Amino acid sequence: MKGADSLDWAFMQKVIPMYAAAATLTLRLVIIGIVLATITGLAVSVIRYKKVFLLSQLSAAYVQLFRNTPLLVQLFFLYFGLPKLGIHISSEACAIIGLTLLGGSYMAEAFRAGLSSISPSQIESAQALGFSPIQIMRYIVIPQALAVSIPPLCANVIFLIKETSVFSVVALADLIYVAKDL
């Protein structure tokens, strides 16, 4: 006879594969989203750093828009709003796009802080040595900016992992969805 404090091993054997599948899906979405967010953030921060006329203003607007709207609102727009405009996206794609857009805006600010920490004399010295603008970015600016940006980037990765808990609102069978369903 089972007591109130004993585990139901049969139930656990039945649900563990569902949790494993949900964990795999969540992990895959997180990895893809964080990689794309990092690439997006780096591109946006370099555009803002170089002060490309129109692109710089658009990237600043992007950062402000997506840093100031919750992921839940972005997912609602992607999953429920875009179909009203005739654009249908799968729930996995919505999750990745939402995480990329939100994470990219936060990563852009982390990279921007790193880029702004570079002294103008570093760039002037590289120019005096005959480095091209691409070489200056590749060998002088980016390595130093990354060293400064690592702590906020790590904090952003943790933040994005925590944000995956809202993926279940777009009918995605992630860990939270499976736990709630069971």
Side-chain angles (χ1 to χ4, degrees):
M1 181 171 186
K2 293 182 182 177
D5 58 349
S6 67
L7 292 173
D8 185 357
W9 291 103
F11 177 75
M12 289 180 66
Q13 282 181 321
K14 187 175 87 179
V15 299
I16 284 178
M18 288 189 268
Y19 276 115
T24 303
L25 174 67
T26 302
L27 188 60
R28 185 169 49 87
L29 294 176
V30 163
I31 290 170
I32 293 169
I34 289 173
V35 167
L36 292 175
T38 303
I39 292 167
T40 302
L42 184 59
V44 167
S45 64
V46 168
I47 288 169
R48 291 181 75 187
Y49 177 75
K50 289 292 192 177
K51 296 182 174 88
V52 180
F53 175 63
L54 186 59
L55 290 177
S56 181
Q57 294 170 340
L58 288 173
S59 62
Y62 155 76
V63 168
Q64 289 302 318
L65 176 69
F66 286 99
R67 281 190 78 206
N68 293 310
T69 55
L71 181 59
L72 184 62
V73 172
Q74 294 173 27
L75 290 176
F76 276 158
F77 174 75
L78 291 168
Y79 193 72
F80 299 111
L82 288 181
K84 301 285 184 191
L85 301 172
I87 303 169
H88 298 279
I89 303 173
S90 71
S91 57
E92 284 187 29
C94 285
I96 291 171
I97 292 168
L99 202 61
T100 299
L101 291 174
L102 177 71
S105 64
Y106 279 95
M107 297 292 191
E109 285 298 290
F111 284 126
R112 186 191 59 76
L115 289 171
S116 66
S117 72
I118 306 302
S119 169
S121 64
Q122 295 277 330
I123 297 165
E124 292 167 1
S125 298
Q127 289 170 336
L129 291 171
F131 281 49
S132 70
I134 292 173
Q135 288 176 320
I136 292 171
M137 284 300 287
R138 182 175 175 199
Y139 297 116
I140 308 297
V141 175
I142 298 290
Q144 292 181 63
L146 280 176
V148 172
S149 300
I150 295 254
L153 291 174
C154 291
N156 289 338
V157 167
I158 293 168
F159 166 72
L160 293 174
I161 291 170
K162 293 189 315 183
E163 284 291 310
T164 63
S165 63
V166 299
F167 285 169
S168 60
V169 300
V170 292
L172 193 61
D174 66 333
L175 275 172
I176 300 298
Y177 185 87
V178 169
K180 184 183 77 155
D181 195 38
L182 290 173

